[in-house]
Amino acid sequence: MQLLTGHDAAVAQWAAKKLGGPHGQFIPPYVGLGVVDAKGVLRGGFVIRPLNSSTCDLSLYSEQALTHGIVRGMFRILFERLGFVCCLIHTERSNKAIKRAAPKLGFKFKCPVENFYGEGIDALQFSMTPTSCRWLKKA
């Protein structure tokens, strides 16, 4: 697997289709990072949306397990190249997979967010900072 950059709109469109539900589509600005297999087929995607100059919201979808190199590369781009100091992910309360995966990636539970996805559809918010990111090599 390899990290694909420079195809923001295609990755965001693919990820929105795979995520479905309340995600629908991603509205620019965003950065789309794809995960492609050996044949160049898109198998995963990260969509990074700035909330302000220092904080972003991350959406992710993958059809297969991500390698450590892919995850490390994504966080390097997010924190080192793009310069964000806080990354948030949101998920519906019912999404058991991401509730398990977020802490494994190093995200910490922050708070519930009422009506995040629309009336009566709450989210759980997780956050990560560069200093708490275990995927970045410490100097």
Side-chain angles (χ1 to χ4, degrees):
M1 291 195 308
Q2 189 173 12
L3 199 56
L4 174 73
T5 60
H7 299 275
D8 299 346
V11 171
Q13 182 179 6
W14 180 89
K17 184 177 178 182
K18 295 291 185 176
L19 288 165
H23 298 280
Q25 68 178 13
F26 295 105
I27 298 168
Y30 53 73
V31 173
L33 304 173
V35 179
V36 295
D37 65 15
K39 295 181 181 179
V41 176
L42 198 55
R43 299 290 181 196
F46 303 98
V47 180
I48 303 164
R49 293 170 291 169
L51 299 176
N52 57 46
S53 62
S54 62
T55 304
C56 69
D57 184 74
L58 174 67
S59 296
L60 58 122
Y61 178 85
S62 182
E63 295 177 347
Q64 56 195 57
L66 299 170
T67 66
H68 287 187
I70 294 291
V71 175
R72 185 176 291 111
M74 185 275 303
F75 281 117
R76 275 202 171 126
I77 290 170
L78 193 151
F79 289 127
E80 294 175 357
R81 189 184 306 167
L82 299 176
F84 289 108
V85 296
C86 182
C87 177
L88 304 175
I89 57 174
H90 296 88
T91 188
E92 289 185 61
R93 288 182 182 267
S94 61
N95 188 337
K96 293 177 184 176
I98 198 68
K99 289 192 312 189
R100 281 190 309 270
K104 288 179 183 177
L105 287 170
F107 285 89
K108 306 266 188 282
F109 175 73
K110 190 170 180 181
C111 63
V113 183
E114 290 184 5
N115 302 317
F116 184 82
Y117 292 114
E119 187 64 35
I121 309 172
D122 298 345
L124 300 177
Q125 184 179 84
F126 295 82
S127 68
M128 181 188 295
T129 63
T131 55
S132 67
C133 182
R134 66 185 181 95
W135 302 96
L136 302 178
K137 292 191 181 209
K138 309 296 185 231

